[in-house]
Amino acid sequence: MSRRFLVAFLLFWLLMGASAQAEKTKRVLLLGQKRDHPAGTHEYMSGLVVLAKCLQGVPTLETKVVRADDPWPEGPDLIAQCDGIVLYLGEGARWMQSDPKRQQAIDALAARGGGIVAVHWAIGARDARYIPAFLRWLGGIHGGPDRKYTFCETELQVAAPNHPIVRAIQGFRLKDEFYYRLKFASSGKVVPLLQARIEGQQETCAWAFERPGGGRSFGFCAMHNHANWRLVECRRLIAQGILWSVDLPIPPNGLSVEVTEEDLRIRP
């Protein structure tokens, strides 16, 4: 075997290996709970069904909708086998830390560069003791006794137009419960993606976070009302946030997030 042939052969296999790695399917858990508010709000499981439909056309992504009400004993093993988690559930910062094995599994996910996404009440906790660990994971939190929220309709403006998560998203109006005056991490890279004017100030309501130890996270404070899954901007924002969190490409013209009336219905 000539030296030139051997070099070409090795280069071929290196390229093939890199291509296979790039096309590796990412596994993401969509974690929800039983509704904890009146019908039509905090419809966690129904919202995740919509989200799964938005993502089903991504060829290198496998999603699984999982109900994760406590005690959820199988949770740590499931997290250990995935590349990312999406939380759409109540008091997410507390939920992540309420079981030592669950917290260890999330720490391990973060350490291997896994994606972490949280939506609405999943970005928060009432008790301030949950703030430090959650900031390491997600980069932002609606937490502690001084947290603020309001119900209103306001305009959301794109704050980082070149970021992949907001690709094909323009400013839009949203009527929802907004968490604001959020607390953000002092290390890592936090990028405000959407801002809303609340009480006379521009408040960050969606952000991307590049964790200091590696890995990506995304948070969005809205989606109290199930009706807002009807908005293509909300569906695209969250779906593209998930893709970015697990380092999958986002189409140049934005991800197609078409859904049907059946997809949008509220489930028991």
Side-chain angles (χ1 to χ4, degrees):
M1 182 181 294
S2 71
R3 182 180 213 142
R4 182 177 298 175
F5 179 83
L6 179 60
V7 169
F9 180 79
L10 290 173
L11 284 173
F12 171 77
W13 280 108
L14 285 171
L15 290 171
M16 287 293 290
S19 176
Q21 183 67 25
E23 295 175 1
K24 178 187 175 183
T25 296
K26 299 292 181 76
R27 293 171 293 180
V28 173
L29 299 177
L30 308 181
L31 303 176
Q33 291 177 333
K34 181 181 179 180
R35 184 183 69 231
D36 54 18
H37 272 54
T41 61
H42 288 209
E43 297 284 359
Y44 303 127
M45 300 308 299
S46 297
L48 291 177
V49 169
V50 177
L51 193 52
K53 175 64 177 292
C54 294
L55 294 166
Q56 73 176 12
V58 179
T60 53
L61 180 67
E62 176 186 314
T63 62
K64 183 177 182 180
V65 176
V66 178
R67 188 154 160 172
D69 296 284
D70 284 327
W72 200 45
E74 69 275 21
D77 287 339
L78 289 175
I79 293 171
Q81 298 169 33
C82 75
D83 300 291
I85 56 174
V86 178
L87 307 184
Y88 189 38
L89 41 74
E91 210 172 348
R94 181 196 60 79
W95 178 90
M96 294 171 86
Q97 299 172 64
S98 61
D99 176 357
K101 290 183 178 179
R102 183 184 307 164
Q103 182 167 353
Q104 290 169 9
I106 295 169
D107 277 334
L109 172 68
R112 64 177 183 268
I116 301 175
V117 171
V119 177
H120 197 51
W121 196 198
I123 73 165
R126 294 181 177 90
D127 195 320
R129 65 185 164 134
Y130 298 115
I131 292 174
F134 194 75
L135 284 178
R136 292 197 303 271
W137 291 325
L138 199 75
I141 189 172
H142 168 69
D146 59 342
R147 68 194 187 282
K148 291 183 175 292
Y149 60 93
T150 186
F151 293 87
C152 66
E153 183 174 351
T154 187
E155 187 79 16
L156 273 59
Q157 301 288 344
V158 176
N162 294 323
H163 198 284
I165 292 178
V166 291
R167 191 167 291 163
I169 296 174
Q170 305 296 322
F172 63 100
R173 290 192 70 78
L174 185 65
K175 184 177 181 180
D176 207 275
E177 178 189 32
F178 289 91
Y179 303 147
Y180 64 106
R181 308 284 161 82
L182 304 177
K183 300 173 177 68
F184 290 102
S186 58
S187 60
K189 182 180 179 182
V190 176
V191 179
L193 299 174
L194 292 180
Q195 293 183 325
R197 193 159 189 82
I198 299 173
E199 293 188 352
Q201 294 189 39
Q202 290 298 110
E203 299 283 352
T204 295
C205 54
W207 69 95
F209 179 49
E210 295 179 44
R211 302 192 297 269
R216 297 171 169 183
S217 303
F218 165 74
F220 183 38
C221 79
M223 304 310 286
H224 174 85
N225 298 322
H226 183 75
N228 286 332
W229 288 104
R230 292 184 172 276
L231 299 178
V232 65
E233 294 90 350
C234 288
R235 300 196 305 270
R236 179 167 288 147
L237 174 75
I238 300 170
Q240 292 183 168
I242 293 168
L243 294 184
W244 181 84
S245 77
V246 292
D247 202 19
L248 287 177
I250 296 169
N253 296 320
L255 184 68
S256 175
V257 289
E258 296 301 315
V259 294
T260 66
E261 285 298 317
E262 172 61 19
D263 298 323
L264 290 165
R265 74 176 176 87
I266 295 174
R267 289 156 170 79

